[in-house]
C-alpha cells in the first residue's frame, strides 16, 4: 500500500514547497522522539520524514503523484 503523504501532512496536492516545509517543521516539533514520549513517536517521525523527502523534491513528488494515480485512480484520491 502506498501511503498518502499529503494526508500525513494534512495538505492538498497543490501545496507549495513553503507549505510543505512549514508543516514538516510543525510535525517534527510535535512528534520528534526527544520531545514526544509516546511509543509510536519514532515510527510517526519516520513517516513524516519520508513524506517530506518525497513531497519537497519536485521530481520525486511528480513520480509519487503518477504512481499514486495509477494505483488508486482519481476516485480514491484524498488529496
Amino acid at each position: 500500500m502506498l501511503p498518502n503523504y499529503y494526508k500525513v501532512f494534512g495538505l492538498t496536492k497543490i501545496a507549495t514547497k513553503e507549505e510543505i516545509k512549514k508543516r514538516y517543521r510543525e510535525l517534527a516539533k510535535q512528534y520528534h522522539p526527544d520531545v514526544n514520549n509516546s511509543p509510536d513517536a519514532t515510527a510517526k517521525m519516520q513517516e513524516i520524514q519520508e513524506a517530506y523527502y518525497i513531497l519537497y523534491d519536485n521530481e520525486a513528488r511528480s513520480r509519487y503523484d503518477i504512481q499514486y494515480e495509477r494505483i488508486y485512480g482519481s476516485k480514491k484520491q484524498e488529496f
Side-chain angles (χ1 to χ4, degrees):
M1 184 172 116
L2 185 64
N4 186 332
Y5 293 130
Y6 295 101
K7 188 174 181 179
V8 170
F9 276 16
L11 298 173
T12 64
K13 188 175 180 180
I14 60 171
T16 65
K17 288 182 89 164
E18 291 78 23
E19 291 171 321
I20 293 166
K21 188 174 187 176
K22 179 181 177 186
R23 188 65 181 141
Y24 169 76
R25 289 181 179 192
E26 291 170 355
L27 292 172
K29 286 179 184 178
Q30 181 179 354
Y31 289 102
H32 195 281
D34 289 346
V35 294
N36 189 323
N37 294 327
S38 73
D40 65 335
T42 300
K44 183 66 176 174
M45 191 63 208
Q46 288 173 342
E47 180 183 38
I48 292 165
Q49 288 177 321
E50 184 177 320
Y52 178 74
Y53 291 136
I54 297 296
L55 296 181
Y56 197 76
D57 180 278
N58 290 334
E59 187 176 322
R61 183 177 179 177
S62 178
R63 286 192 312 260
Y64 167 78
D65 288 344
I66 291 168
Q67 186 176 13
Y68 195 93
E69 174 69 25
R70 284 184 187 157
I71 294 171
Y72 298 107
S74 60
K75 293 180 183 177
K76 291 189 178 183
Q77 282 189 354
E78 297 175 13
F79 297 140

